[in-house]
Amino acid sequence: MPLRRKVLVVIGLAAAASGAAFGIYRLASPQQAPVFRFTTVQRGDIHALVSATGTLQAVTTVSVGTQVSGQISELLVDFNDHVKKGQLLAKIDPTIAQQGVADAQANLEKVQAEANQARNDQSRNIQLSSAGLIAGSALEQGGSAKQVADATVRSARVALDRAKQNLSFTSIYAPIDGVVVERNVNLGQTVAASLSAPQLFLIANDLARMQILALVGESDIVQIRQGQAVTFTVQALPGQSFPGTVEQVRLQSTTADNVVNYTVVVTLENPEGKLLPGMTARVDFLVKSAESVLKAPNAALRYKPSDDVLARFGTAPASGNTETTAAATASASPRAGASGTRARRSDGGASGVGEGTLYTLDAKEKLQIVRVRTGISDGVFTEVQGQNVTEGMKVIDGIVSASQKPAATANPMSGGQQTGRGRPGGF
């Protein structure tokens, strides 16, 4: 055989051997196992909440206006001033009101003089009528004139009282004890009370006790009741939470953007004066609570392994098997996982009772399904009960990667979660 042919034969045999070896390696190399992310079943308290927003305001506020028009001649209080009931707040230029009193007084004197004249005339008419010197009709006319004059005097007295009252209205007094939270006029400003009384001041009775008017959606209002405990926060004081109590659930509804809301009045104490009128508060209504119960993260209750993962870890055969389909269906069912306990929505918390599924690995690294009964949820954790559920139990809440098997490590950013293919450390 020529040398060239021998070389070609040797190269061909080598290539065939290499291909066979690669094929055998591919068949022998197992598919890399998925890398699970683990979390822990904990014991603690769960509070189901309904959240809403509202505005802080004083329990009692009084708008101070004026019943007469004129120019502000004196301004005696300013923002944040503490005032007492009956204290003089401002004065309106009394010149016009004083002229009105003088005019009414002069008119009263005039009609009184006319009434005296009518009374004297009637007295003479009576004497003349007794002597037969005047007709009876003249006597009757004198009597009518006297009655009209008397009525005119009474009307003039009322007009004088009204003018004096208007003069007194030029002095603006505080109707209650409190704090001036609004001042809507300046010295020299002219106010007009012809159509409606303008607001000059707004006085809050006592800022040591305030209230929040919170808007609660129609889907959550049935969970709110009088006397219910409340906590709230304000943006001005981050990291601080304040207590309150539901004082009233108003029956009148309001509709904005096709959303029906009800006003809930929350009362609170403000002894240090940190909370100010007008602050926006985020209110959490405690609708249900459970103390010292086992709770699992909602992410673990939502996790559903794929058919390939179930088959690889020996939990069920490959997809198409009825057991795998049943497991997947149970996990996706509205009664499974976190869906069984309505998770806390953006507009409030919710609670419910249902069934859920957790997944874990046993000592032989086999995927185990743990059926649980679910209770209330705070949107992050859900109460779980089950024969095989224990405190500290490591459960799966997701897959990190399916291409590489890292060492089991704790993730400091995930609140104690761990990743790994086999049993997590300490499981």
Side-chain angles (χ1 to χ4, degrees):
M1 180 182 298
L3 179 60
R4 182 177 180 182
R5 181 175 294 180
K6 289 180 179 181
V7 173
L8 294 174
V9 171
V10 171
I11 293 173
L13 292 174
S18 298
F22 179 76
I24 294 171
Y25 173 78
R26 287 289 303 274
L27 293 173
S29 297
Q31 197 175 26
Q32 291 294 333
V35 180
F36 293 118
R37 184 175 62 245
F38 293 92
T39 188
T40 306
V41 176
Q42 306 174 18
R43 182 174 293 279
D45 301 339
I46 296 183
H47 303 288
L49 306 173
V50 169
S51 295
T53 57
T55 303
L56 277 161
Q57 63 180 40
V59 175
T60 302
T61 57
V62 177
S63 176
V64 181
T66 176
Q67 293 179 268
V68 296
S69 302
Q71 188 180 63
I72 301 295
S73 60
E74 294 183 40
L75 192 60
L76 305 176
V77 295
D78 202 352
F79 290 96
N80 304 336
D81 283 351
H82 291 264
V83 297
K84 296 292 185 180
K85 181 178 180 180
Q87 179 178 337
L88 183 63
L89 306 179
K91 293 191 71 174
I92 297 175
D93 186 358
T95 302
I96 296 178
Q98 289 172 347
Q99 292 173 349
V101 171
D103 182 66
Q105 181 67 43
N107 184 62
L108 175 62
E109 294 173 357
K110 172 186 174 182
V111 297
Q112 283 178 335
E114 293 175 349
N116 290 334
Q117 181 64 42
R119 191 178 300 112
N120 294 333
D121 290 346
Q122 183 62 6
S123 296
R124 284 192 297 272
N125 288 338
I126 293 174
Q127 294 175 359
L128 294 175
S129 176
S130 299
L133 299 176
I134 61 172
S137 59
L139 182 63
E140 292 177 356
Q141 291 177 356
S144 298
K146 177 180 176 296
Q147 292 178 353
V148 170
D150 291 340
T152 304
V153 170
R154 291 194 297 271
S155 177
R157 287 198 179 106
V158 171
L160 178 59
D161 292 340
R162 183 185 303 112
K164 291 180 178 179
Q165 188 66 50
N166 287 335
L167 178 60
S168 69
F169 286 155
T170 60
S171 296
I172 312 300
Y173 297 95
I176 59 172
D177 296 343
V179 180
V180 178
V181 294
E182 288 187 25
R183 176 178 62 79
N184 301 317
V185 291
N186 295 307
L187 187 64
Q189 181 176 339
T190 299
V191 293
S194 57
L195 299 178
S196 61
Q199 177 178 290
L200 307 183
F201 306 94
L202 183 66
I203 299 178
N205 185 22
D206 184 11
L207 295 183
R209 190 171 188 269
M210 303 182 69
Q211 67 181 12
I212 301 173
L213 300 183
L215 294 179
V216 178
E218 60 178 326
S219 59
D220 294 317
I221 193 64
V222 294
Q223 303 181 74
I224 310 301
R225 62 188 182 279
Q226 187 175 359
Q228 198 166 18
V230 167
T231 59
F232 68 93
T233 58
V234 294
Q235 293 182 350
L237 301 170
Q240 298 188 44
S241 180
F242 303 91
T245 305
V246 175
E247 179 73 17
Q248 183 185 55
V249 180
R250 294 181 179 174
L251 302 180
Q252 183 180 10
S253 64
T254 58
T255 303
D257 298 329
N258 295 325
V259 177
V260 179
N261 293 310
Y262 291 85
T263 300
V264 178
V265 181
V266 176
T267 57
L268 57 112
E269 301 297 329
N270 184 32
E272 299 180 5
K274 292 182 178 180
L275 303 172
L276 304 178
M279 284 184 172
T280 299
R282 179 171 179 81
V283 185
D284 289 328
F285 300 88
L286 179 61
V287 298
K288 202 170 184 181
S289 63
E291 298 181 355
S292 188
V293 296
L294 291 177
K295 55 183 182 179
N298 288 352
L301 288 166
R302 288 192 297 265
Y303 172 70
K304 182 185 72 174
S306 64
D307 292 343
D308 293 338
V309 172
L310 290 172
R312 176 163 184 81
F313 282 85
T315 303
S319 65
N321 184 276
T322 55
E323 294 182 6
T324 303
T325 305
T329 303
S331 182
S333 169
R335 291 182 58 81
S339 298
T341 60
R342 291 162 47 205
R344 173 172 173 173
R345 302 182 300 276
S346 60
D347 60 339
S351 61
V353 178
E355 299 174 354
T357 305
L358 296 172
Y359 292 89
T360 186
L361 296 179
D362 62 12
K364 297 181 179 180
E365 296 191 356
K366 298 296 183 182
L367 196 63
Q368 297 294 315
I369 300 177
V370 181
R371 304 291 183 184
V372 295
R373 294 187 305 276
T374 57
I376 67 172
S377 175
D378 62 3
V380 179
F381 289 91
T382 297
E383 177 188 1
V384 293
Q385 298 178 5
Q387 184 177 1
N388 299 323
V389 181
T390 59
E391 182 179 357
M393 177 181 182
K394 304 294 182 180
V395 293
I396 301 170
D397 69 354
I399 294 178
V400 176
S401 173
S403 60
Q404 187 177 3
K405 175 186 174 183
T409 57
N411 185 351
M413 299 300 292
S414 59
Q417 291 180 335
Q418 296 180 334
T419 60
R421 180 174 66 90
R423 295 173 58 197
F427 181 70

